[in-house]
Amino acid sequence: MPLHVPPAPAPALRSVLTALSSPTAVREARTPSLLRAQGPVTPELPLPVHVLDRVTAEGVSATRLAGWRFLIRSGDRAVAAAETMLTPDGWAFSRFFEGPYITSTERALRQAETMPQPYQPRLLSVPGLYMLTLWLHEDCTADGADGHPAATDLLVPLAPAPPGIAAHRPHRVAELLPVLTHRVTPTRLLGSPA
């Protein structure tokens, strides 16, 4: 089934296009792949980036929109990514970067396209575990900037994933959130005072 990519805010896309057309912004980004790109580069696949701040004891997640990420394509592959962030003046370009999450995101998106059910792709960051997941939201008509992971949504950990969590293996939110909650919650040392 095709993925239903939510539309990015127009100012976020404009800020990325402006940064891509600025030799100074590209040069200062110091992303070798972007500097070596031959021919035109284009921002594609805008994905809202949500941050998992906490999970309550009832299993309800508290997330917030942190920005939008665009894969920067040159030819037939993504060579970098661009992020935007919300400022008091609206959406603004934040940075270019590259690394393993670029190819891992592409792989997870290709994997999601083969699933029988349609999804709306998003990214979910779990800062306490240095973890990034592709969040496949079941409500394809939802505003990509809003919402919380539903129990039946899927999370696909991107590589590199934390130890003990398999990258590129889809998990229902109801199954993975308790594991993440346990992993990020500090445990008391044996014999320490209550």
Side-chain angles (χ1 to χ4, degrees):
M1 279 288 193
L3 294 175
H4 296 271
V5 179
L13 176 58
R14 275 195 304 273
S15 72
V16 171
L17 291 170
T18 299
L20 281 171
S21 66
S22 166
T24 304
V26 172
R27 192 170 43 254
E28 288 178 2
R30 292 182 172 53
T31 57
S33 295
L34 190 56
L35 290 170
R36 287 191 308 265
Q38 299 294 315
V41 291
T42 55
E44 295 181 355
L45 290 168
L47 297 174
V49 180
H50 295 261
V51 175
L52 180 67
D53 287 325
R54 63 184 164 73
V55 179
T56 67
E58 296 79 31
V60 178
S61 59
T63 60
R64 63 182 163 80
L65 180 67
W68 284 80
R69 181 174 295 176
F70 297 78
L71 293 180
I72 306 300
R73 188 162 302 283
S74 175
D76 62 348
R77 67 183 191 96
V79 295
E83 282 198 353
T84 62
M85 62 182 180
L86 191 57
T87 68
D89 295 325
W91 288 100
F93 171 75
S94 176
R95 65 187 179 117
F96 291 117
F97 65 95
E98 60 183 75
Y101 284 132
I102 307 298
T103 55
S104 187
T105 301
E106 280 191 306
R107 177 180 169 188
L109 287 166
R110 281 192 308 272
Q111 180 182 357
E113 287 175 341
T114 66
M115 294 180 177
Q117 179 176 342
Y119 289 100
Q120 182 188 82
R122 304 169 175 200
L123 293 172
L124 183 66
S125 173
V126 186
L129 293 175
Y130 301 101
M131 179 180 179
L132 186 64
T133 69
L134 178 64
W135 168 14
L136 298 172
H137 192 51
E138 283 188 327
D139 184 357
C140 295
T141 62
D143 181 348
D146 295 329
H148 300 286
T152 55
D153 286 352
L154 295 178
L155 296 176
V156 182
L158 301 180
I165 297 176
H168 297 286
R169 182 177 173 269
H171 301 269
R172 293 262 177 231
V173 167
E175 298 164 358
L176 189 59
L177 273 188
V179 173
L180 299 181
T181 303
H182 177 71
R183 300 272 304 262
V184 296
T185 303
T187 55
R188 285 186 324 158
L189 297 173
L190 291 176
S192 63

